[in-house]
Amino acid sequence: MRVLGVDPGLTRCGLGVVDGGKGRSVSCVAVGVARSPQEDELASRLMAVSTEVERWLDVHQPQVVAIERVFSQHNVRTVMGTAQVSGVVALAAARRGLPVAFHTPSEVKAAISGSGRADKKQVTTMITKILGLAEAPKPADAADALALAVCHLWRAPMMDRLAQAEARAAELARNHRAKLKAARERSAQQKSAGPKAAPETGGKTR
Amino acid sequence: MRVLGVDPGLTRCGLGVVDGGKGRSVSCVAVGVARSPQEDELASRLMAVSTEVERWLDVHQPQVVAIERVFSQHNVRTVMGTAQVSGVVALAAARRGLPVAFHTPSEVKAAISGSGRADKKQVTTMITKILGLAEAPKPADAADALALAVCHLWRAPMMDRLAQAEARAAELARNHRAKLKAARERSAQQKSAGPKAAPETGGKTR
């Protein structure tokens, strides 16, 4: 499966394409960043990043797009731009019928380094090793995008299993509720039928 | 000038088209909401809202798109979706070469009601009166979108004047700095020329 990982940003939007093979084998297809000039207006910056992302979708034909989930605990202005970029990237993927997955920074760190608290440097070092790259991808946003793609490839089978298990559990719960409801209805019918029938049959038997 | 006002949101995205005439005269062209099902995935919800906004752009052909500026002081999850919608709307406008303006909720309230602290109800009442509508637009998101469009029409001339004044001030400052720099350079030349020239001419005159 081929995944495009996206570390959303207006100034630098990290992009990384990774192929996943058997088990945990992964290989880097392409890595880079989409940029937009800081002095431009927001709408044209979003367009510049979106156009570059669409070019990557056309050139590399990924089957899934994995985007970093944005949180608002950081700088408010930056976060809004980041959220807007993640929106236009998700839209570009959806328009091509591609599934979009979101992973949080700590999910990515945990998947790549085994710890949700790893710092940027550790993630870069690990992703360089995992993908067997000759040198560390630069800037950090590009490395993060590769980490996102690998995180998706490694988490996706687990998430699928989880989704299947949840669906099974939900079905069992539905069946159980249906049986309970049927039992309640039967007992209610017997009750409502009971008092009416009682005098009749009672009359006969007595 | 025709403005499309957008109150961004995933569940309900308010849309209002307003024509501005001479002075402060304004008239309502269309009002409504773009919706997306809450149970759908984020990417497909963004696509649903974006597609509807693009339909409005095609049908009503506005010259400007005015979007409510999103702040992150509210519910984090909602805000992220709202920011993502504002991103895809800005992108749709930019793709059509339309200018995009952002106004904060308090700018809209101040423009419409004279107070930045007016509540939703007051804004709806005022916009209904301003546009001479038979009844209040519903839901509130639709009324907010109209208010945004009117806010833009009323603020735009002022913002243009402000931008011109700022550009003029910046030019004056630039000229002033250039003159200062030239004066400093002249004085530096005179100083560096001074000591060298002094002995020569000094030798001759003495």
Side-chain angles (χ1 to χ4, degrees), chain A residues 41-44 46-48 50-51 54 69-72 74 76-77 79-80 83-88 90-91 93-96 98-100 102, chain B residues 41-44 46-48 50-51 54 69-72 74 76-77 79-80 83-88 90-91 93-96 98-100 102:
Chain A
E41 296 217 341
L42 175 61
S44 83
L46 287 170
M47 187 162 64
S50 175
T51 303
E54 295 198 70
R69 192 181 291 281
V70 185
F71 285 106
S72 74
H74 316 288
V76 174
R77 285 197 69 154
V79 158
M80 287 299 129
Q84 287 167 326
V85 169
S86 81
V88 303
L91 176 69
R95 285 249 162 94
R96 281 165 168 76
L98 298 177
V100 179
F102 291 89
Chain B
E41 295 218 341
L42 176 61
S44 83
L46 288 170
M47 187 162 65
S50 176
T51 303
E54 294 197 71
R69 193 181 291 281
V70 186
F71 285 105
S72 74
H74 316 288
V76 174
R77 285 197 70 153
V79 157
M80 288 298 129
Q84 287 167 326
V85 170
S86 82
V88 303
L91 176 69
R95 285 251 162 92
R96 281 165 168 75
L98 299 176
V100 179
F102 291 89

